[in-house]
Amino acid sequence: MQDRKRIHSGEKKDGPKRKRVNRNKKKNWKKHSDVRDVEEFLDDVRLQERTVGGLLSEKANENLFFVTPAKRRKVRMSKMDTDSTSLMLSLCIFESSVISGPRTDPKRLKRRTKPLRIDLNLQPDSKVPNGRKLKRKREREGTLEKKGILPRTDRLLLAQLDRPTLAHVDEANNNPGRGFYDLWGERNPLDSASQGKDPWYLEQTKKSRVKRPDRLHKKPSELPAIEIAAAGASYNPTYESHQDLMLKAHEVEVKKLKEARKLSRKLKFPTKDKAPTEESRLRELCEGLVEESEDDNPPGDEGELEEQKATSLHQRERKTERQRKKEKEAKILEDDGQKARQDAEKAERLRRQSLFQLKSIQTSLKTRQEELANRKKLRGEKQKAKALQPKRLGRLKYQEPDIDVLLSEELTDSLRRLKPEGSVTKDRFKSFQKRNLIEPRERAKFKRKLKVKYVEKRAFREIS
């Protein structure tokens, strides 16, 4: 028992009890969350920004490494200087073993001891400006200014101001004296650079002018963009023109009323007198199933029975195959000869009669030509009328808008008191549909998915 207790107590000491914390509350997030790895990562990023001027992973390979152009060089890495706080890589470059002994030339010695480009890239490159360097620059600019020498940027700006510039003045669009040219014509100033060159060269170099498609030359409808309103739509029309426009509007309303009445009549439930009964329903169900009974032996069939008996007796006398073949050949020869004679007689008769039918033939030909000309004319008129009608571009048909007309009592003698009719936006929208620029459309039906809940506010409840 004691050993068991010791074992249990040892297990408790080795693994500390995990503290249960409610992490649903915001105040426990920062208190009981381990964010040391995130802080170490951020410290490393800040160190790289301070020392190198940015992240090493974002720097290009050209800024970190370079290819040594010399031949047979042996590069050996030395130990890093632990006392320096900056990240430095000391590389020792030795000459080839072909030349024995160190060189004593000071220029070569200086070149050899010059730090590598990789070391310069890894040196601190802080974004904080160097105050001493800026101070020396300002002092140098001050001494040059006292001598009358301006900085290079100021000299470039003064040279740019002294350079004469040809200011381009845009001509007004309403200037009648300005030049015009056809954009798609042959003499286009924009195409002067490509004139006289090989068409194959212009096509391959994409410098040739794009050919305008033929479909763009043809309008989708022959209707004008703005149709002239009727004379009766004026604010001060004559009596006859106003009455004509009123009559057209009246006919449109009568047509709509007839269609509405016809639809209601078709959908109306029948009255009690015309309602279907059980007897009419059974008659419709049995339609075509029951045939009417007829007499088995009508009186007119006696002669037919006698003829059938006679033919049956005649069929009993059977002929041989040779006899039937001879009779068939004789019948064919007789029929062919008789038909040939009849055709020859008919052709001869028609040939003789055609001599006396020249005038009638000429008259029939003239009538036929006039009929074809009239058909062609009607076909052209129908095509012209069809070109003025809107096409079926979508699932909906085009519907003519309502005629905007004022009643007799609404007419005024002044534009100030004139009551506006219609809308410019709707008129343009209908014009686009009529000229086949857009398909006829209808307003989308909005269907609310959730029901609207009305709540009485407390302030309103207190007043009421």
Side-chain angles (χ1 to χ4, degrees), residues 250-446:
H250 175 70
E251 291 175 354
V252 172
E253 294 297 329
V254 168
K255 187 177 180 180
K256 289 182 180 179
L257 187 61
K258 285 184 179 179
E259 291 178 355
R261 287 178 179 175
K262 182 179 178 181
L263 184 63
S264 63
R265 187 171 64 253
K266 293 289 185 182
L267 299 177
K268 186 174 64 174
F269 192 78
T271 57
K272 187 176 181 180
D273 299 336
K274 297 181 181 180
T277 59
E278 190 68 24
E279 184 180 355
S280 63
R281 180 173 171 274
L282 290 173
R283 194 185 300 114
E284 288 181 1
L285 292 174
C286 298
E287 191 76 26
L289 297 178
V290 181
E291 297 181 358
E292 297 181 359
S293 61
E294 297 180 355
D295 297 337
D296 295 333
N297 295 323
D301 293 345
E302 294 178 358
E304 294 179 0
L305 293 173
E306 292 177 359
E307 290 179 0
Q308 289 178 0
K309 290 179 182 179
T311 53
S312 63
L313 291 172
H314 182 68
Q315 287 177 357
R316 288 175 187 175
E317 300 176 0
R318 299 188 65 178
K319 297 180 182 180
T320 61
E321 187 177 355
R322 189 173 182 182
Q323 289 175 353
R324 287 197 298 271
K325 191 174 182 181
K326 283 185 177 181
E327 288 179 0
K328 188 175 181 181
E329 291 177 354
K331 190 175 180 181
I332 290 171
L333 291 172
E334 184 181 356
D335 293 343
D336 291 345
Q338 186 177 2
K339 188 175 182 181
R341 285 196 306 272
Q342 289 178 358
D343 292 343
E345 290 176 359
K346 186 176 180 180
E348 184 68 20
R349 187 170 64 254
L350 291 174
R351 187 173 62 81
R352 291 176 182 177
Q353 289 178 359
S354 61
L355 296 174
F356 304 100
Q357 292 179 353
L358 290 176
K359 291 184 178 180
S360 61
I361 290 172
Q362 289 179 356
T363 307
S364 62
L365 288 174
K366 188 176 180 180
T367 307
R368 179 64 177 171
Q369 289 178 357
E370 291 178 355
E371 184 180 355
L372 291 176
N374 291 333
R375 284 185 181 180
K376 187 177 180 180
K377 186 179 179 181
L378 290 173
R379 200 182 304 116
E381 292 177 356
K382 188 180 288 186
Q383 289 178 356
K384 289 181 180 179
K386 191 177 180 180
L388 298 176
Q389 296 295 329
K391 298 179 182 178
R392 184 72 176 266
L393 301 179
R395 64 183 185 86
L396 300 175
K397 288 184 178 180
Y398 172 75
Q399 295 181 358
E400 289 286 343
D402 297 334
I403 300 175
D404 298 330
V405 60
L406 294 173
L407 300 177
S408 301
E409 58 269 12
E410 293 176 350
L411 292 174
T412 59
D413 55 352
S414 175
L415 284 173
R416 294 178 181 274
R417 294 181 293 174
L418 182 65
K419 182 181 177 182
E421 286 287 335
S423 172
V424 179
T425 308
K426 291 181 180 179
D427 178 67
R428 291 297 88 206
F429 188 66
K430 283 289 183 180
S431 177
F432 288 156
Q433 295 180 4
K434 194 172 184 180
R435 288 185 287 148
N436 303 323
L437 296 177
I438 59 174
E439 73 279 1
R441 304 170 186 176
E442 62 181 1
R443 191 178 182 87
K445 297 178 180 179
F446 174 72

Side-chain angles (χ1 to χ4, degrees), residues 140-153:
R140 186 170 60 254
E141 289 177 356
T143 54
L144 292 175
E145 188 176 357
K146 290 178 181 178
K147 295 179 181 179
I149 302 173
L150 296 175
R152 184 172 179 274
T153 54

Side-chain angles (χ1 to χ4, degrees), residues 98-154:
V98 178
I99 303 172
S100 61
R103 297 178 181 270
T104 57
D105 190 0
K107 293 184 178 179
R108 292 185 179 276
L109 186 62
K110 184 178 180 182
R111 189 184 305 168
R112 190 186 305 171
T113 56
K114 183 179 179 181
L116 297 176
R117 188 176 178 184
I118 185 173
D119 298 333
L120 296 175
N121 290 331
L122 294 176
Q123 283 181 359
D125 185 15
S126 178
K127 300 294 181 181
V128 180
N130 192 350
R132 295 181 180 179
K133 188 175 181 180
L134 293 176
K135 185 178 179 181
R136 286 197 300 269
K137 185 178 179 182
R138 285 195 297 269
E139 291 176 355
R140 186 170 60 254
E141 289 177 356
T143 54
L144 292 175
E145 188 176 357
K146 290 178 181 178
K147 295 179 181 179
I149 302 173
L150 296 175
R152 184 172 179 274
T153 54
D154 296 345

Side-chain angles (χ1 to χ4, degrees), residues 15-41:
K17 186 178 180 182
R18 186 179 177 184
K19 189 176 182 180
R20 285 192 168 185
V21 181
N22 187 7
R23 297 182 182 275
N24 293 334
K25 296 182 180 181
K26 193 173 182 180
K27 64 181 182 180
N28 294 333
W29 290 354
K30 192 173 181 180
K31 186 176 179 181
H32 301 284
S33 297
D34 189 10
V35 292
R36 284 177 293 178
D37 52 348
V38 179
E39 291 178 352
E40 290 176 0
F41 172 73

